[in-house]
Amino acid sequence: MEQTSVRRKWANWKFISFIVILIAIFVKFYVLDEHDENATVIVALDLPQVAMRNELEVAAILGKGQLLSFYTDEKAGCEKCPRISYRDGKVEIIYINDIADQIRLNKLADYPFENRSILGLLNLNENIVPNVDEDGVKTWDNYQKYTQISAFSKSGDLDYILVKSKSE
């Protein structure tokens, strides 16, 4: 008689184990996010070394730039501010009041449109949830010492990142 009860208990445990495994598989594939939190992040621009620096300091970090045009913005107090391109158009910087204020990082279609990836490209380690996360736009207001960081998506992939260091 003891033999049948041991077999029955063993069968119950096998059934319970099977159910637990099915639940674990469901959670793995349908509940958890796909990205890997421990994956290495590629830095495309070391923002803390570039933002709020003058043209000579930025040129020492990014190499020689090419003047694209002049930018005018009354709100930012800029009448004829230089817009300079670096690294074959990958980085564009507008110098307002002689500092690198508006920084645009282009040609990012190879990267996913995820918070960790976006902030990692700028060498920013603090993973903060964006203030705005809507269709193709993510915006962080007052992230550390920067006024605004905005990322834009085109067809699910990252298109470009715009950083405003001091201007609004």
Side-chain angles (χ1 to χ4, degrees):
M1 200 162 285
E2 288 182 29
Q3 190 110 19
T4 57
S5 72
V6 170
R7 284 185 185 166
R8 184 173 292 153
K9 286 180 182 178
W10 176 246
N12 288 341
W13 278 108
K14 285 193 326 189
F15 180 72
I16 291 171
S17 299
F18 179 71
I19 296 298
V20 168
I21 291 170
L22 285 179
I23 290 172
I25 290 171
F26 175 79
V27 168
K28 164 83 172 123
F29 290 108
Y30 296 103
V31 176
L32 296 178
D33 289 337
E34 292 181 20
H35 65 279
D36 183 11
E37 289 294 326
N38 298 323
T40 58
V41 177
I42 297 170
V43 176
L45 176 69
D46 194 355
L47 186 63
Q49 288 193 355
V50 173
M52 295 183 252
R53 308 275 184 196
N54 64 34
E55 286 184 54
L56 292 175
E57 292 172 323
V58 172
I61 296 167
L62 298 178
K64 187 177 178 184
Q66 178 184 0
L67 180 65
L68 296 176
S69 63
F70 288 98
Y71 176 77
T72 303
D73 185 0
E74 290 180 21
K75 186 177 178 184
C78 177
E79 288 186 28
K80 193 175 179 186
C81 298
R83 183 173 148 238
I84 299 177
S85 173
Y86 298 92
R87 296 183 179 169
D88 297 323
K90 185 153 184 153
V91 179
E92 291 178 16
I93 299 177
I94 298 173
Y95 291 90
I96 299 175
N97 297 324
D98 297 324
I99 63 168
D101 196 334
Q102 294 186 14
I103 303 165
R104 181 173 164 153
L105 192 58
N106 299 311
K107 303 175 185 175
L108 301 172
D110 296 336
Y111 302 101
F113 190 62
E114 296 177 355
N115 299 349
R116 186 170 186 275
S117 177
I118 294 164
L119 297 173
L121 285 167
L122 299 171
N123 199 20
L124 300 173
N125 298 327
E126 195 173 349
N127 195 3
I128 298 174
V129 177
N131 300 77
V132 176
D133 191 353
E134 296 177 357
D135 301 323
V137 178
K138 291 185 183 207
T139 302
W140 291 263
D141 291 322
N142 299 316
Y143 182 96
Q144 294 177 354
K145 62 182 178 180
Y146 308 105
T147 303
Q148 187 178 68
I149 299 172
S150 299
F152 301 90
S153 171
K154 189 186 288 184
S155 67
D157 292 327
L158 188 57
D159 189 25
Y160 69 94
I161 301 171
L162 177 63
V163 178
K164 294 182 179 182
S165 300
K166 284 196 169 217
S167 65
E168 292 185 23

